[in-house]
Amino acid sequence: LFVLIPGCALPRRLHVDGSHLSVQVLLDRRNQEWINNMGEIRCYLYPVHSSKSFLITPSLASSMYLMVMYFITGAYQEVYKMVESCVSEDLTSEELQIFNQLEFLGNDNHPDAHACRLKLSAVTVGLGESAMKCPWSVYEEMLEYVKKYDYVSSACRLTTEEELLLLKMSTPSFGYRLPTELVNRNSYVSAVNNISSLPTDKTLSIKIGIEKPPVIENFDCGADTSILDNPKNCMISSKLFGAAYSRPEEDQVAFGGLRALEFINAALDHGVEVTSSSYGFPLMYDLLVGTVQFKLHPNDKVHNWGRILVRLVPPSDFKRKSAEMSALRILSENPTVAQHPHIPKFQIDSAMSKFKGMFQGKDAVSRVLAELHTFLTKQSIRSMLNFPVASIESTSPAVMTLRRPKSFFDYRLWVIPRISDYSQSNFKLDVQNCAAVNIPMAQIQAFASKPLAPIKLESYVVYLNRTQLRMPTVSGAVPFNLSASKASRTHCSEATTQRISTDIQKYAHSANNETTPTLIGFTPSDIDALHSNPAALSNAISQLGALIKALNGLMEFDRMSLGNLMNRALAIATSDERSDPTGGVTEECNFLRFRLGQISEREPTVWFELLVASILSSTAEQDIRSLNPYLSGSAYNTVNSLTVVAMLASIRIGQSHRALAGLSNLVKLLRKVKASSPPDVQTRLCKEIALQSSKVASDLTCERHFMNVTPNAVEFDPRFLVFEFTYSLMLRKSQVILVNKFLQALRSGRSMCHQMIMGAGKTTVVAPLLAMILADGKSLVTQVVPHALLDFSRGVMREKFAAVVRKPVFTFTFSRGTPITRDLYMKLCKARDSKAIICATPTSVKSFMLKFVEMMRHLERSKTGGEKA
């Protein structure tokens, strides 16, 4: 399964008015400059992983194009994941034009968008001014990021190290001092970065810079009893505009819908004031006592809408002690009194009596205030009144105190879904834990040895020796004799001759005793009889049909199992399937708060790629359980077991697919078999059938060579399994042995050189696997290849580390004339710290060493004052 995207289309975001941010994509297919920079390949082909949980990007250009598309559509978490694999110091014209599209996304002010841009700025540090210069201000982005930090989704949060780096890069475009927000952030992040080394009984104090807060009038400034003490203390203008009040029609506001929404929007746009004729004291009073039945939703309470409007009056109204405002405050805080059946209602006068009553003190507002005063001062009603307590305005503390976190529940905003390292070299798959989730031991044993064993391989494959395959035995004698030569009598020559003799004898013994898997019905004698014996051809085709049916059944089972295993692992890891014991009311409320936080992306959630990568971490349990504090230890072990078995099922799907593809080609060859074909055609076809059947047999009997099965567990190096899973392949025995030899040599401090023939997997398997294992953040891993293979090897590395385990891939280019700059040093340090891979040529490495010797020579001369005569 693949995703094909036309690369000759320039992607842009649809621009709309400022009321909302568009996530629609416009594809400009007529931009000739864009098309000219594309090169020969005009499309990007993304293989879909067999688990269907992620795409594989085969090149840097395809990665950057997908990242830009994710950015345009608002998939910021996917952008954030891809940033590290979209870095290069030398961009082609195709890659550069894709990178330049990020400039047109600078108006995206989503909190996660700021995080993505800052992440890209952090990973491009040290690449130089001309390489991937980000078209935005780190200072402005960092300021917005800090202001919106509470709204940044957990998957897009920067680490403390990244924040400290970006804060150092933040320089204001005006003035010489950072704003208080960034200064405080720097102090806080520095403290959090060192909090893990703090003793449990100690605290860490942080001085916080405080700016003068803006003056905000406090609505909750205390009780106002004017309506009880002096009901005649009213606003003259409220009487005037109250006389002009017209009560809204019931069909306009009582049934919700668009008309009610338009009414409340008009009130907010016009402004709610006590002295307003349309949206003033009479309307708020009617809402509080229920005379106007305003509702947006059938379950709305009219009193609540009145309370909302009362709180929207301007400070000039609520600061003044008036009977109108006092009445609104008391009715807002006492819904029982406001809904009392005998509470006075606002009576609207007729047209002629409105103004007469206003000058005589008998207008509608004065009357209702007088009646309300009488009603509220009754002893039975007065005892029911609750007066609001004045709210104390908060003040920012000058010092913040931090303690070392005691559990996964502490400092949730600093929990980031990241994998600490990839240095775990031994993993134990608990057999009993697998049995508890209905994964039988027979299935585990098959996965650990021959994954396709469940289809009963003995019914389709037989092992033949060289004699049965009509192959001559291999001689153990050296095919040449150099003893007569004088040069062969030296100590070195004799040792070399002895080693050659020993190697040939070992190879002969191994080759003569090994057996080769062969499809039943496709032995040399069976293949020779295909043209002359129709029964042999029919048996071969029926045998292949049965094999195809068995493989299809196993693949269907694996696909169904893979989906169930992945879903179950994610359900337990995110607490969709509860694993912790149910607690009291408080604990359950906290749990529901956590689950709502996951939905809002404030709390971190896991995805399957993260679970796969987590088994590589030496602190895997802490990495995953910190994301979900309600995940128990036993539940975490279950998640691990489900994840590993899902990976094994995914790899077997790929193996089955390869075998089915080979069987399809073999069936096509058998359909070409005809007795009437010329002898040379028959001979050539028999050889093709023999080669294809041998390949299919090898695919079927492929074994896993790095797992050790014991009665209680299956032990293996998880880095081998993750590499197999990511690219749906199976490591050969020779490759596993070779990688282990390199690792053993490294642990013992020895250098090692190994020569491999073409097609043995040195560029696509061994080198990337070693790079993944050795790039641990402590040492710099460099791949040195001939100049002609630099682009290819660098492309392979980028493809291998563009999913699951993501690593930047840099190029080291150096000559004797290259200046030594801080950017070069920062680039190499950044590569080491970010577990990146450096690709270089022998010329660059030699030039660097010669430059080092030259500079040391200059330093020596400057110290001694020049060479002495």
Side-chain angles (χ1 to χ4, degrees), residues 32-53:
Q32 195 58 46
E33 181 182 359
W34 178 277
I35 295 173
N36 293 339
N37 289 330
M38 280 300 298
E40 296 180 358
I41 301 176
R42 301 298 179 93
C43 295
Y44 299 120
L45 187 66
Y46 302 93
V48 180
H49 192 261
S50 57
S51 65
K52 297 182 180 179
S53 58

Side-chain angles (χ1 to χ4, degrees), residues 431 441 444-449 707-716:
V431 173
M441 184 62 183
I444 296 174
Q445 289 177 332
F447 280 134
S449 53
M707 286 190 168
N708 181 31
V709 181
T710 63
N712 297 322
V714 178
E715 297 185 22
F716 59 92

Side-chain angles (χ1 to χ4, degrees), residues 741-791:
K741 282 185 177 179
F742 272 109
L743 296 178
Q744 182 60 37
L746 179 67
R747 284 191 288 266
S748 59
R750 295 183 291 106
S751 298
M752 181 175 172
C753 178
H754 189 89
Q755 185 176 5
M756 298 177 69
I757 63 172
M758 183 183 298
K762 53 184 176 294
T763 304
T764 58
V765 177
V766 176
L769 183 54
L770 280 172
M772 183 183 75
I773 295 173
L774 300 180
D776 54 0
K778 301 176 182 177
S779 56
L780 182 63
V781 175
T782 307
Q783 182 188 32
V784 183
V785 296
H787 187 272
L789 297 178
L790 179 61
D791 290 340

Side-chain angles (χ1 to χ4, degrees), residues 379-525:
Q379 185 62 33
S380 58
I381 301 299
R382 182 67 181 262
S383 62
M384 298 171 59
L385 296 181
N386 294 316
F387 296 97
V389 179
S391 299
I392 301 175
E393 296 184 13
S394 63
T395 56
S396 300
V399 177
M400 179 180 290
T401 302
L402 296 180
R403 292 179 174 81
R404 185 174 178 176
K406 298 179 180 179
S407 69
F408 295 131
F409 291 93
D410 298 334
Y411 302 114
R412 295 300 300 167
L413 281 179
W414 279 105
V415 177
I416 302 174
R418 299 285 188 279
I419 301 304
S420 303
D421 55 59
Y422 304 120
S423 59
Q424 181 66 272
S425 60
N426 186 38
F427 186 92
K428 293 183 179 180
L429 178 63
D430 192 341
V431 173
Q432 294 181 352
N433 205 350
C434 291
V437 289
N438 299 322
I439 301 174
M441 184 62 183
Q443 194 73 263
I444 296 174
Q445 289 177 332
F447 280 134
S449 53
K450 287 185 179 181
L452 294 181
I455 66 171
K456 298 181 179 180
L457 287 174
E458 62 275 8
S459 302
Y460 306 101
V461 179
V462 64
Y463 287 84
L464 304 180
N465 55 32
R466 296 182 67 87
T467 303
Q468 294 169 321
L469 292 173
R470 299 178 182 176
M471 298 172 63
T473 57
V474 179
S475 172
V478 179
F480 50 83
N481 186 5
L482 301 177
S483 58
S485 174
K486 185 181 294 186
S488 66
R489 296 172 189 156
T490 63
H491 174 75
C492 182
S493 299
E494 289 179 351
T496 301
T497 304
Q498 181 63 35
R499 183 173 65 83
I500 292 174
S501 177
T502 303
D503 289 347
I504 291 177
Q505 290 177 7
K506 286 183 178 180
Y507 172 74
H509 181 268
S510 174
N512 291 330
N513 288 278
E514 71 177 1
T515 55
T516 304
T518 306
L519 290 179
I520 294 176
F522 289 87
T523 62
S525 57

